[in-house]
Every structure is written in C-alpha cells, then in structure tokens.
Amino acid sequence: MLVQQKPARAAPFVPVASRPQRRQQWAAHSNQQVHQHRCQQTERRAWRLRAQAQEQEMEDKRAGRSTYRPSSYSELVRDAVAAVIAAMGDGLNRLEVEFPAVSNVDGYKGASDLYIDANIQLALAAAKQLSEDTGKRVHMLLPDDVECKRATDMFKAALEAAPGVTMGHFREGRPSLLDQLFFNGGRPDPVAAAQAADVFIALNASTVELSDLETYVTETAKDRVVVTWNMELDTLRSDLGLLGFPPKDLQHRFLCFFKPVFYIRQRDYSKSVAVAPFIINYSGALFREYPGPWQVMLRQDNGVYACVAEDAARRYNLGEFKEELMQAMGLNTEGEGSAMAFLRRGYKTSTWWEDDVDKEQSTAWRS
C-alpha cells in the first residue's frame, strides 16, 4: 500500500534587504562602533586626566602649603580626611589628627561639654566621609560606656545617616556591673561592630584614660588603623609621670607610634620693645599635612597663615617654633649667646618627651 507523503512545507519568505537598505544598516553599525570607540577614548582620557590631577595634587602636598586659611570646619575635616587616606595608602596604621575643634578656644580651657560635643560632631563628619571615600567601616571610640551612650543618643540621627559608621568605647568587652545593669540596654553591640571595623577613631580621652586606649589598641584594634582625633596628645603627655597618672613610659612604648598626618597647633606670643608700640603681639601655628613637611606658619593681619619655615625630616619643638616666628618678624634682636638672649629663652626650651629620643620605640610622632 502506497503511503502518500505530504508535501514539504515551504520555508517562510524572508525578504532580502535591498542594496540601499544594506548600506544604511552597515552605516548605522559603523556609526555605533565609532561612537563606542570615541566613548572609550573619552573615558580613558578622563581617567588619565584624573590620575594626573591626583599625582599633581600629591606632589603639591609633598611640597607643603605656602599659605593656609580654611573657610569652614567642613574644609578642615575634608583636608584631615584626605591626609588620613594618603597615610593609609602608604601603609601607616597609627595616625594623629589635631586641630582646634572649637574656634577661639584652646581645647579644654573652654566649657568641657562644648568642646566634647563639637569634637564628636567633627569626628562623625570625618568618619562618614572616610567611609564613603574608601568603602571602609569606621568605629568611633569614646572613653567609657557612659559617654558612648550620651553621644549615641545625642547624635542618633547622624549615626543612622552613616551606615558605615558605628560608635563604641575603650572598655568594650570589659563592662562593669553598673554598665550591664543601667547603660547597655537597647543599643547595638559595640563589640560586634568593632570586630567588623577597618578604621578606629579615638577621641575625647583624658590622660588617665590613655591606658585604656593602649589596652584596646593592643587587644582589639591590633594592626588595623587607629586615628587619635583632636585628643591634644601634647597636653596629655605633660601629665604623664605625675601622681595618679600613667607613667612616662606610656609615651615611649605607645604614643610615640602615632604619626601626625594633619596637625595645627596655634600659639600666641608677645615681646616688649623699647619703642612704640612697646609690646608686639604675634601668633602662628605649627602645621603639617601629610605627606607634606612640618611648617611654621605666621598669622597675617588678614587671618591667613603664611609659611616662614619648613622641615621635611623632623618636627619643630616649641622653642624652635617660637624662634622661627621671631626671626620672620624681625624680633630676634638679641645677640646669640648674650645674657639677654638667655633670659628671654630660659634654660629649658623643650619638653621631656621631646628630649627622650633614646627611650622611644618609634620616632613616628616626630617625623
């Protein structure tokens, strides 16, 4: 029996593009390739320009600043964070940031709460910017749980707006019975936040609490980056060795490792002269912005700080800093080695921590 085969179904008709259509398709494809190529060239050119700008900016910072006058605290924070990021890029993990946290107030000479709250606010802004710029998690450290709770409640909204920033204290993981009963309810565990952190920012510590900071850095932070933020370490060092305070060895084994990466220390002086106006007031600042040199800045009448001396190798002590300012002002009129020069300068022109070079385990704080 013969089986009748069904005729094969014809393939669907696909219209063939005419020659003008093919030319249009080829031209569109070619234009798309040219556009992509130009976009890639533009991106590469923009990347090279950004890299060159970053290299030029780094070279400028290595040379230091000829003048400096920040227009706001936001600019100060940006400059400080940029210096911290540059130091982290060079592998440094013990850093110091120091600048006046409150205008017209020298640290703790003003109202304590005013200084503490202003410093926390600045540190929060820096931590948020550091986290956004680097993608790292930042853990802020206050001296104890009571201050941590107060700051967490006061700056709750700011912390919620900065997901990469957490807050803890020097005694994390070592709570007292009072802390467990009254001060830790309903808050995130700071120990877990510390374990996940990449950078620690310590602030508002007193001299007595430096021992707690040393323990925390040794046992918890370890090789991770630790930044002391406006802690006025030079003021705290002056109390070491006194009755009821940690020994001077704390400077030799711990504080000496913290390298100043952004540092502004203002000083005001006056000198009497034999002609009118008889008393001349002058002021300046010891300045450092990593990776730039240490600079002596003289304050001008318009508020701008102008560089009058710099040293890329080591930090000026306060006696040398004052001498450079006087030299720039033309007030260094006493003969070298004369009795008047001795009476003006005094017997001692440096502090004990500036003299104890042979006892330090590191010279990072001087460099």
Side-chain angles (χ1 to χ4, degrees):
M1 181 177 178
L2 296 176
V3 179
Q4 186 176 1
Q5 296 181 350
K6 295 181 179 180
R9 183 178 297 177
F13 173 74
V14 179
V16 178
S18 63
R19 184 173 298 177
Q21 289 176 333
R22 287 198 300 270
R23 281 200 298 266
Q24 291 177 357
Q25 292 174 355
W26 178 84
H29 180 68
S30 177
N31 290 337
Q32 184 179 6
Q33 288 183 328
V34 170
H35 178 70
Q36 291 178 350
H37 180 67
R38 288 177 177 174
C39 289
Q40 293 174 354
Q41 284 185 327
T42 302
E43 291 177 359
R44 286 195 293 267
R45 190 180 300 111
W47 183 86
R48 285 196 300 269
L49 290 175
R50 286 195 299 268
Q52 291 174 359
Q54 291 175 354
E55 291 177 0
Q56 183 62 40
E57 183 180 2
M58 189 61 65
E59 288 296 327
D60 293 341
K61 288 186 176 181
R62 287 193 180 96
R65 292 181 183 260
S66 58
T67 59
Y68 189 61
R69 187 186 183 183
S71 59
S72 64
Y73 274 101
S74 297
E75 184 177 350
L76 273 173
V77 169
R78 286 196 300 269
D79 292 340
V81 171
V84 169
I85 293 176
M88 290 168 54
D90 288 342
L92 303 178
N93 63 352
R94 298 292 180 265
L95 312 176
E96 178 187 1
V97 171
E98 185 67 53
F99 60 86
V102 182
S103 60
N104 301 322
V105 177
D106 184 12
Y108 291 100
K109 291 180 182 179
S112 178
D113 288 345
L114 174 64
Y115 182 87
I116 288 173
D117 294 343
N119 202 29
I120 294 174
Q121 189 173 4
L122 293 172
L124 265 172
K128 182 179 179 181
Q129 181 179 338
L130 182 61
S131 177
E132 292 174 350
D133 292 349
T134 63
K136 297 182 180 296
R137 298 191 62 85
V138 182
H139 192 57
M140 297 174 56
L141 295 172
L142 291 162
D144 54 48
D145 192 61
V146 178
E147 291 196 35
C148 179
K149 181 181 183 302
R150 176 180 177 274
T152 302
D153 294 340
M154 181 177 295
F155 299 98
K156 182 178 180 181
L159 285 170
E160 291 176 350
V165 180
T166 53
M167 189 173 290
H169 55 91
F170 297 167
R171 300 187 61 82
E172 292 171 359
R174 299 178 293 157
S176 64
L177 180 62
L178 186 65
D179 294 336
Q180 294 176 358
L181 292 177
F182 298 103
F183 297 117
N184 202 35
R187 284 186 296 142
D189 182 13
V191 176
Q195 292 175 351
D198 304 299
V199 181
F200 299 86
I201 297 180
L203 64 157
N204 293 350
S206 65
T207 308
V208 175
E209 292 157 340
L210 288 177
S211 297
D212 290 334
L213 176 60
E214 180 187 21
T215 302
Y216 188 94
V217 171
T218 303
E219 297 180 357
T220 303
K222 298 181 180 178
D223 292 334
R224 288 177 286 181
V225 177
V226 179
V227 182
T228 61
W229 184 271
N230 289 341
M231 280 179 46
E232 294 198 329
L233 291 184
D234 281 342
T235 302
L236 303 185
R237 288 182 177 107
S238 63
D239 292 332
L240 295 178
L242 300 179
L243 182 64
F245 292 94
K248 293 182 178 180
D249 187 55
L250 185 67
Q251 158 67 15
H252 304 148
R253 70 173 185 265
F254 177 60
L255 295 181
C256 63
F257 286 94
F258 285 85
K259 187 182 188 70
V261 294
F262 189 79
Y263 188 94
I264 302 175
R265 185 174 185 181
Q266 298 171 324
R267 282 292 179 267
D268 299 321
Y269 300 103
S270 62
K271 183 180 180 181
S272 59
V273 293
V275 296
F278 304 109
I279 295 180
I280 298 178
N281 299 314
Y282 60 101
S283 62
L286 182 59
F287 180 81
R288 203 283 173 84
E289 184 181 21
Y290 187 87
W294 285 97
Q295 295 179 281
V296 176
M297 299 290 220
L298 178 65
R299 190 177 189 276
Q300 309 295 304
D301 293 336
N302 59 359
V304 175
Y305 286 88
C307 178
V308 296
E310 64 180 41
D311 193 326
R314 67 179 188 89
R315 171 182 185 156
Y316 293 90
N317 65 38
L318 289 183
E320 296 169 339
F321 168 72
K322 183 179 179 181
E323 289 297 317
E324 293 290 352
L325 288 181
M326 293 187 64
Q327 186 71 29
M329 290 285 293
L331 299 176
N332 200 355
T333 57
E334 294 85 0
E336 187 67 29
S338 65
M340 289 301 296
F342 175 79
L343 292 174
R344 179 176 61 79
R345 297 170 185 170
Y347 171 72
K348 193 73 172 175
T349 59
S350 58
T351 59
W352 64 263
W353 60 88
E354 292 171 333
D355 295 335
D356 289 355
V357 182
D358 55 336
K359 297 180 181 180
E360 296 173 348
Q361 297 182 17
S362 172
T363 59
W365 80 279
R366 300 175 183 271
S367 61

